[in-house]
Amino acid sequence: MNAGRFALLIAGTSITILAAACSGSPTVHESAPIADGADDADDPGLATDEDVSGDGPRFGTFGFDFDGMNRDVAPGDDFYTFASGTWAEETEIPSDLSRYGVFDTLRLEVEEQVNQLILAILEADADPGSNEQLVGDFYTSWMDVETINAAGLEPAKPYLERIASIEDHGEAADLMSEIHFPSIYGVRILPDPQDPTVYTVGASQS
């Protein structure tokens, strides 16, 4: 299975992702220790066994992983190590990833949940025209690597020809306003680096 193609397929089935996010039981992690200064585990801001068991929140209600901190380091000296030093030392980045963290873990788990949902759809006898049938057909055609490779660039030629026909900046701007022809640069609104009390327009490579 081509991992890149599967990742793009996942992005294209957002409605199924929402269903996956509401189903399944996440892996249970140990409860976090009581924070310094807290009286007991009944503090509503801390995780308890009830918080992280079954279908409850993965990391409880406290918002971050106490076990991942390195409290031997003063936060004023190195806040990153203070907040995440133990996690960074004990966590190995998978060899096929360039980065790894909580959000990456959640993304990978949701991708697997969506994969299982789609595989279940393929095994079912979906009604013609139903969402299940459409998702199944989309998945099957997307993963048909042999047919895609045999077609080569032929399906893309009309788009490539439109790009090649551009003669000036005006035509380029007009083309980038059409669907299937994304802009070569991105524009966003962000705080002005020189005056954070106001916003400014930022542009970068798309």
Side-chain angles (χ1 to χ4, degrees), residues 55-102:
D55 294 327
R58 167 66 56 83
F59 294 103
T61 58
F62 50 83
F64 61 93
D65 180 13
F66 290 105
D67 292 335
M69 300 174 67
N70 181 353
R71 302 193 188 190
D72 293 332
V73 176
D77 293 339
D78 184 348
F79 188 78
Y80 175 82
T81 300
F82 167 76
S84 306
T86 299
W87 181 90
E89 290 180 1
E90 297 178 352
T91 303
E92 180 179 353
I93 298 177
S95 60
D96 61 335
L97 299 177
S98 60
R99 50 165 285 170
Y100 193 63
V102 172

CSV table of all heavy atoms in Angstrom, one decimal, residues 55-102:
chain,number,residue,atom,x,y,z
A,55,ASP,N,-13.8,5.0,27.3
A,55,ASP,CA,-14.0,5.9,26.2
A,55,ASP,C,-13.7,7.3,26.6
A,55,ASP,O,-14.0,8.3,25.9
A,55,ASP,CB,-15.4,5.8,25.6
A,55,ASP,CG,-15.6,4.5,24.9
A,55,ASP,OD1,-14.6,3.9,24.4
A,55,ASP,OD2,-16.7,4.0,24.9
A,56,GLY,N,-13.1,7.6,27.8
A,56,GLY,CA,-12.9,8.9,28.3
A,56,GLY,C,-11.7,9.6,27.6
A,56,GLY,O,-11.1,9.0,26.7
A,57,PRO,N,-11.4,10.8,28.0
A,57,PRO,CA,-10.3,11.6,27.4
A,57,PRO,C,-9.0,10.8,27.5
A,57,PRO,O,-8.7,10.2,28.6
A,57,PRO,CB,-10.3,12.9,28.2
A,57,PRO,CG,-11.7,13.0,28.7
A,57,PRO,CD,-12.1,11.6,29.0
A,58,ARG,N,-8.2,10.8,26.5
A,58,ARG,CA,-6.9,10.1,26.5
A,58,ARG,C,-6.0,10.7,27.6
A,58,ARG,O,-5.4,9.9,28.4
A,58,ARG,CB,-6.2,10.3,25.2
A,58,ARG,CG,-4.8,9.8,25.1
A,58,ARG,CD,-4.6,8.3,25.4
A,58,ARG,NE,-5.4,7.6,24.4
A,58,ARG,CZ,-5.0,7.3,23.2
A,58,ARG,NH1,-3.8,7.7,22.8
A,58,ARG,NH2,-5.7,6.6,22.4
A,59,PHE,N,-5.9,12.0,27.7
A,59,PHE,CA,-4.9,12.6,28.7
A,59,PHE,C,-5.7,13.3,29.8
A,59,PHE,O,-5.1,14.2,30.5
A,59,PHE,CB,-4.0,13.6,27.9
A,59,PHE,CG,-3.1,12.9,27.0
A,59,PHE,CD1,-3.4,13.0,25.6
A,59,PHE,CD2,-2.0,12.2,27.4
A,59,PHE,CE1,-2.5,12.4,24.7
A,59,PHE,CE2,-1.2,11.6,26.5
A,59,PHE,CZ,-1.4,11.7,25.1
A,60,GLY,N,-6.9,12.9,30.1
A,60,GLY,CA,-7.6,13.4,31.2
A,60,GLY,C,-8.0,14.9,31.0
A,60,GLY,O,-8.1,15.3,29.8
A,61,THR,N,-8.3,15.6,32.1
A,61,THR,CA,-8.8,16.9,31.9
A,61,THR,C,-7.7,18.0,32.2
A,61,THR,O,-8.0,19.2,32.1
A,61,THR,CB,-9.9,17.1,33.0
A,61,THR,OG1,-9.4,16.9,34.3
A,61,THR,CG2,-11.1,16.2,32.7
A,62,PHE,N,-6.5,17.6,32.5
A,62,PHE,CA,-5.5,18.6,32.9
A,62,PHE,C,-4.8,19.2,31.7
A,62,PHE,O,-4.2,20.3,31.9
A,62,PHE,CB,-4.4,17.9,33.8
A,62,PHE,CG,-3.9,16.6,33.2
A,62,PHE,CD1,-2.9,16.7,32.3
A,62,PHE,CD2,-4.4,15.4,33.6
A,62,PHE,CE1,-2.4,15.5,31.7
A,62,PHE,CE2,-3.9,14.2,33.1
A,62,PHE,CZ,-2.9,14.3,32.2
A,63,GLY,N,-4.9,18.7,30.5
A,63,GLY,CA,-4.4,19.4,29.4
A,63,GLY,C,-3.0,19.1,28.9
A,63,GLY,O,-2.6,19.4,27.9
A,64,PHE,N,-2.2,18.4,29.8
A,64,PHE,CA,-0.8,18.1,29.4
A,64,PHE,C,-0.3,16.9,30.2
A,64,PHE,O,-0.9,16.5,31.2
A,64,PHE,CB,0.2,19.3,29.5
A,64,PHE,CG,0.3,19.8,30.9
A,64,PHE,CD1,1.3,19.3,31.7
A,64,PHE,CD2,-0.5,20.8,31.4
A,64,PHE,CE1,1.5,19.8,33.0
A,64,PHE,CE2,-0.4,21.2,32.7
A,64,PHE,CZ,0.6,20.8,33.5
A,65,ASP,N,0.8,16.3,29.8
A,65,ASP,CA,1.3,15.1,30.4
A,65,ASP,C,2.4,15.5,31.5
A,65,ASP,O,3.5,15.8,31.1
A,65,ASP,CB,2.0,14.3,29.3
A,65,ASP,CG,2.5,13.0,29.8
A,65,ASP,OD1,2.3,12.6,31.0
A,65,ASP,OD2,3.3,12.3,29.1
A,66,PHE,N,2.0,15.3,32.7
A,66,PHE,CA,3.0,15.6,33.8
A,66,PHE,C,4.2,14.7,33.7
A,66,PHE,O,5.3,15.1,34.0
A,66,PHE,CB,2.3,15.4,35.2
A,66,PHE,CG,1.3,16.5,35.5
A,66,PHE,CD1,-0.1,16.2,35.4
A,66,PHE,CD2,1.7,17.8,35.9
A,66,PHE,CE1,-1.0,17.1,35.7
A,66,PHE,CE2,0.7,18.7,36.2
A,66,PHE,CZ,-0.6,18.4,36.1
A,67,ASP,N,4.0,13.4,33.3
A,67,ASP,CA,5.1,12.5,33.3
A,67,ASP,C,6.1,12.8,32.3
A,67,ASP,O,7.3,12.4,32.3
A,67,ASP,CB,4.6,11.1,33.0
A,67,ASP,CG,3.7,10.5,34.1
A,67,ASP,OD1,4.0,10.9,35.3
A,67,ASP,OD2,2.9,9.6,33.9
A,68,GLY,N,5.8,13.6,31.3
A,68,GLY,CA,6.7,14.0,30.2
A,68,GLY,C,7.6,15.2,30.6
A,68,GLY,O,8.6,15.5,29.9
A,69,MET,N,7.3,15.8,31.8
A,69,MET,CA,8.1,16.9,32.3
A,69,MET,C,9.5,16.5,32.9
A,69,MET,O,9.6,15.3,33.2
A,69,MET,CB,7.4,17.7,33.3
A,69,MET,CG,6.0,18.3,32.8
A,69,MET,SD,5.1,19.1,34.1
A,69,MET,CE,6.1,20.5,34.5
A,70,ASN,N,10.4,17.4,32.9
A,70,ASN,CA,11.7,17.2,33.6
A,70,ASN,C,11.8,18.3,34.6
A,70,ASN,O,12.3,19.4,34.4
A,70,ASN,CB,12.9,17.2,32.6
A,70,ASN,CG,14.2,16.9,33.3
A,70,ASN,OD1,14.3,16.9,34.6
A,70,ASN,ND2,15.3,16.8,32.6
A,71,ARG,N,11.4,18.0,35.9
A,71,ARG,CA,11.4,19.0,36.9
A,71,ARG,C,12.7,19.3,37.5
A,71,ARG,O,12.8,20.1,38.5
A,71,ARG,CB,10.3,18.7,37.9
A,71,ARG,CG,8.9,18.6,37.3
A,71,ARG,CD,7.8,18.5,38.4
A,71,ARG,NE,6.5,18.2,37.7
A,71,ARG,CZ,5.4,18.3,38.4
A,71,ARG,NH1,5.4,18.7,39.6
A,71,ARG,NH2,4.3,18.0,37.8
A,72,ASP,N,13.7,18.5,37.1
A,72,ASP,CA,15.1,18.8,37.6
A,72,ASP,C,15.7,20.0,36.9
A,72,ASP,O,16.7,20.5,37.3
A,72,ASP,CB,16.0,17.6,37.3
A,72,ASP,CG,15.6,16.4,38.1
A,72,ASP,OD1,15.0,16.5,39.2
A,72,ASP,OD2,15.8,15.2,37.6
A,73,VAL,N,15.0,20.5,35.8
A,73,VAL,CA,15.5,21.7,35.1
A,73,VAL,C,14.6,22.9,35.5
A,73,VAL,O,13.3,22.7,35.5
A,73,VAL,CB,15.5,21.4,33.6
A,73,VAL,CG1,15.9,22.7,32.8
A,73,VAL,CG2,16.4,20.3,33.2
A,74,ALA,N,15.2,24.0,35.8
A,74,ALA,CA,14.4,25.2,36.1
A,74,ALA,C,13.7,25.7,34.8
A,74,ALA,O,14.4,25.8,33.8
A,74,ALA,CB,15.3,26.3,36.7
A,75,PRO,N,12.4,26.0,34.9
A,75,PRO,CA,11.7,26.5,33.7
A,75,PRO,C,12.3,27.8,33.1
A,75,PRO,O,12.3,28.0,31.9
A,75,PRO,CB,10.3,26.7,34.2
A,75,PRO,CG,10.4,26.8,35.7
A,75,PRO,CD,11.5,26.0,36.1
A,76,GLY,N,12.9,28.6,34.0
A,76,GLY,CA,13.5,29.8,33.5
A,76,GLY,C,14.8,29.6,32.7
A,76,GLY,O,15.3,30.4,31.9
A,77,ASP,N,15.5,28.4,33.0
A,77,ASP,CA,16.7,28.1,32.3
A,77,ASP,C,16.5,27.4,30.9
A,77,ASP,O,17.2,27.7,29.9
A,77,ASP,CB,17.6,27.2,33.2
A,77,ASP,CG,18.1,27.8,34.4
A,77,ASP,OD1,18.1,29.1,34.4
A,77,ASP,OD2,18.4,27.1,35.4
A,78,ASP,N,15.5,26.5,30.9
A,78,ASP,CA,15.2,25.8,29.6
A,78,ASP,C,13.8,25.3,29.7
A,78,ASP,O,13.5,24.2,30.2
A,78,ASP,CB,16.2,24.6,29.5
A,78,ASP,CG,16.0,23.9,28.1
A,78,ASP,OD1,15.0,24.1,27.5
A,78,ASP,OD2,16.9,23.1,27.8
A,79,PHE,N,12.9,26.1,29.3
A,79,PHE,CA,11.4,25.8,29.5
A,79,PHE,C,11.1,24.5,28.7
A,79,PHE,O,10.2,23.7,29.1
A,79,PHE,CB,10.5,26.9,29.1
A,79,PHE,CG,9.1,26.7,29.4
A,79,PHE,CD1,8.7,26.8,30.8
A,79,PHE,CD2,8.2,26.3,28.5
A,79,PHE,CE1,7.4,26.6,31.1
A,79,PHE,CE2,6.9,26.0,28.8
A,79,PHE,CZ,6.4,26.2,30.1
A,80,TYR,N,11.6,24.4,27.5
A,80,TYR,CA,11.3,23.2,26.7
A,80,TYR,C,11.6,21.9,27.4
A,80,TYR,O,10.8,21.0,27.5
A,80,TYR,CB,12.0,23.2,25.3
A,80,TYR,CG,11.7,21.9,24.5
A,80,TYR,CD1,10.5,21.8,23.8
A,80,TYR,CD2,12.6,20.9,24.5
A,80,TYR,CE1,10.3,20.6,23.1
A,80,TYR,CE2,12.4,19.7,23.8
A,80,TYR,CZ,11.2,19.6,23.1
A,80,TYR,OH,11.0,18.4,22.4
A,81,THR,N,12.9,21.8,28.0
A,81,THR,CA,13.3,20.7,28.7
A,81,THR,C,12.5,20.5,30.0
A,81,THR,O,12.1,19.3,30.3
A,81,THR,CB,14.8,20.7,29.1
A,81,THR,OG1,15.5,20.9,27.8
A,81,THR,CG2,15.3,19.5,29.8
A,82,PHE,N,12.1,21.6,30.6
A,82,PHE,CA,11.3,21.5,31.8
A,82,PHE,C,9.9,20.9,31.5
A,82,PHE,O,9.4,20.0,32.2
A,82,PHE,CB,11.1,22.9,32.4
A,82,PHE,CG,10.1,23.0,33.5
A,82,PHE,CD1,10.3,22.5,34.8
A,82,PHE,CD2,8.8,23.6,33.1
A,82,PHE,CE1,9.2,22.6,35.7
A,82,PHE,CE2,7.8,23.7,34.1
A,82,PHE,CZ,8.0,23.2,35.4
A,83,ALA,N,9.3,21.4,30.4
A,83,ALA,CA,8.0,20.9,30.0
A,83,ALA,C,7.9,19.6,29.4
A,83,ALA,O,7.0,18.8,29.5
A,83,ALA,CB,7.3,22.0,29.2
A,84,SER,N,9.0,19.2,28.6
A,84,SER,CA,8.9,18.0,27.7
A,84,SER,C,10.2,17.2,27.8
A,84,SER,O,10.3,16.3,26.9
A,84,SER,CB,8.5,18.4,26.3
A,84,SER,OG,7.4,19.2,26.2
A,85,GLY,N,11.1,17.5,28.7
A,85,GLY,CA,12.4,16.8,28.6
A,85,GLY,C,12.4,15.3,28.8
A,85,GLY,O,13.0,14.6,28.0
A,86,THR,N,11.6,14.8,29.7
A,86,THR,CA,11.5,13.4,29.9
A,86,THR,C,10.9,12.7,28.7
A,86,THR,O,11.3,11.6,28.2
A,86,THR,CB,10.7,13.1,31.2
A,86,THR,OG1,11.3,13.6,32.3
A,86,THR,CG2,10.6,11.6,31.4
A,87,TRP,N,9.8,13.3,28.2
A,87,TRP,CA,9.2,12.8,27.0
A,87,TRP,C,10.2,12.7,25.8
A,87,TRP,O,10.2,11.7,25.1
A,87,TRP,CB,8.0,13.6,26.6
A,87,TRP,CG,7.2,13.1,25.4
A,87,TRP,CD1,6.2,12.2,25.4
A,87,TRP,CD2,7.5,13.4,24.0
A,87,TRP,NE1,5.8,11.9,24.1
A,87,TRP,CE2,6.6,12.6,23.2
A,87,TRP,CE3,8.4,14.2,23.4
A,87,TRP,CZ2,6.6,12.7,21.8
A,87,TRP,CZ3,8.4,14.3,22.0
A,87,TRP,CH2,7.5,13.6,21.2
A,88,ALA,N,10.9,13.8,25.6
A,88,ALA,CA,11.9,13.8,24.5
A,88,ALA,C,13.0,12.8,24.7
A,88,ALA,O,13.4,12.2,23.7
A,88,ALA,CB,12.5,15.2,24.4
A,89,GLU,N,13.4,12.5,25.9
A,89,GLU,CA,14.4,11.5,26.1
A,89,GLU,C,13.9,10.1,25.9
A,89,GLU,O,14.7,9.2,25.4
A,89,GLU,CB,15.0,11.6,27.5
A,89,GLU,CG,15.8,12.9,27.8
A,89,GLU,CD,16.3,13.0,29.2
A,89,GLU,OE1,16.0,12.1,30.0
A,89,GLU,OE2,17.0,14.0,29.5
A,90,GLU,N,12.7,9.8,26.3
A,90,GLU,CA,12.2,8.5,26.3
A,90,GLU,C,11.4,8.1,25.0
A,90,GLU,O,11.1,6.9,24.8
A,90,GLU,CB,11.2,8.3,27.4
A,90,GLU,CG,11.9,8.4,28.8
A,90,GLU,CD,11.0,8.3,30.0
A,90,GLU,OE1,9.7,8.2,29.7
A,90,GLU,OE2,11.4,8.2,31.1
A,91,THR,N,11.1,9.1,24.1
A,91,THR,CA,10.3,8.8,22.9
A,91,THR,C,11.2,8.7,21.7
A,91,THR,O,12.0,9.6,21.4
A,91,THR,CB,9.3,10.0,22.7
A,91,THR,OG1,8.5,10.1,23.9
A,91,THR,CG2,8.4,9.7,21.5
A,92,GLU,N,11.0,7.7,21.0
A,92,GLU,CA,11.8,7.5,19.7
A,92,GLU,C,10.9,7.9,18.5
A,92,GLU,O,9.8,7.4,18.4
A,92,GLU,CB,12.2,6.0,19.6
A,92,GLU,CG,13.0,5.7,18.3
A,92,GLU,CD,13.4,4.3,18.2
A,92,GLU,OE1,13.2,3.5,19.1
A,92,GLU,OE2,13.9,3.9,17.1
A,93,ILE,N,11.4,8.7,17.7
A,93,ILE,CA,10.7,9.1,16.5
A,93,ILE,C,10.7,8.0,15.5
A,93,ILE,O,11.7,7.4,15.1
A,93,ILE,CB,11.3,10.4,15.8
A,93,ILE,CG1,11.3,11.6,16.8
A,93,ILE,CG2,10.6,10.7,14.5
A,93,ILE,CD1,11.9,12.8,16.2
A,94,PRO,N,9.5,7.5,15.0
A,94,PRO,CA,9.4,6.4,14.1
A,94,PRO,C,10.3,6.7,12.8
A,94,PRO,O,10.4,7.9,12.4
A,94,PRO,CB,8.0,6.3,13.7
A,94,PRO,CG,7.3,6.9,14.9
A,94,PRO,CD,8.2,7.9,15.5
A,95,SER,N,10.9,5.7,12.3
A,95,SER,CA,11.9,5.9,11.2
A,95,SER,C,11.2,6.5,9.9
A,95,SER,O,11.9,7.1,9.1
A,95,SER,CB,12.6,4.6,10.9
A,95,SER,OG,11.6,3.6,10.5
A,96,ASP,N,9.9,6.3,9.8
A,96,ASP,CA,9.3,6.8,8.6
A,96,ASP,C,8.6,8.2,8.8
A,96,ASP,O,7.9,8.7,7.9
A,96,ASP,CB,8.2,5.8,8.1
A,96,ASP,CG,7.1,5.6,9.2
A,96,ASP,OD1,7.4,5.8,10.4
A,96,ASP,OD2,6.0,5.2,8.8
A,97,LEU,N,8.9,8.8,9.9
A,97,LEU,CA,8.3,10.2,10.2
A,97,LEU,C,9.5,11.2,10.4
A,97,LEU,O,10.5,10.8,11.0
A,97,LEU,CB,7.4,10.1,11.4
A,97,LEU,CG,6.2,9.2,11.3
A,97,LEU,CD1,5.4,9.2,12.6
A,97,LEU,CD2,5.3,9.6,10.2
A,98,SER,N,9.2,12.4,10.0
A,98,SER,CA,10.2,13.5,10.3
A,98,SER,C,9.9,14.2,11.6
A,98,SER,O,10.8,15.0,12.1
A,98,SER,CB,10.2,14.5,9.1
A,98,SER,OG,8.9,15.1,9.0
A,99,ARG,N,8.8,14.0,12.2
A,99,ARG,CA,8.4,14.6,13.5
A,99,ARG,C,7.4,13.6,14.2
A,99,ARG,O,6.8,12.8,13.5
A,99,ARG,CB,7.7,15.9,13.3
A,99,ARG,CG,6.6,15.9,12.3
A,99,ARG,CD,5.7,17.2,12.4
A,99,ARG,NE,4.9,17.1,13.5
A,99,ARG,CZ,4.2,18.1,14.0
A,99,ARG,NH1,4.2,19.3,13.4
A,99,ARG,NH2,3.4,18.0,15.1
A,100,TYR,N,7.3,13.8,15.5
A,100,TYR,CA,6.4,12.9,16.2
A,100,TYR,C,6.0,13.6,17.5
A,100,TYR,O,6.8,14.2,18.2
A,100,TYR,CB,7.1,11.6,16.5
A,100,TYR,CG,6.2,10.5,17.0
A,100,TYR,CD1,5.2,10.0,16.2
A,100,TYR,CD2,6.4,10.0,18.3
A,100,TYR,CE1,4.4,9.0,16.6
A,100,TYR,CE2,5.6,8.9,18.7
A,100,TYR,CZ,4.6,8.5,17.9
A,100,TYR,OH,3.7,7.5,18.3
A,101,GLY,N,4.7,13.5,17.8
A,101,GLY,CA,4.2,14.1,19.0
A,101,GLY,C,2.8,13.7,19.3
A,101,GLY,O,2.3,12.8,18.6
A,102,VAL,N,2.1,14.3,20.2
A,102,VAL,CA,0.7,13.9,20.6
A,102,VAL,C,-0.2,14.0,19.4
A,102,VAL,O,-1.0,13.1,19.1
A,102,VAL,CB,0.2,14.7,21.8
A,102,VAL,CG1,-1.3,14.4,22.0
A,102,VAL,CG2,1.0,14.4,23.0
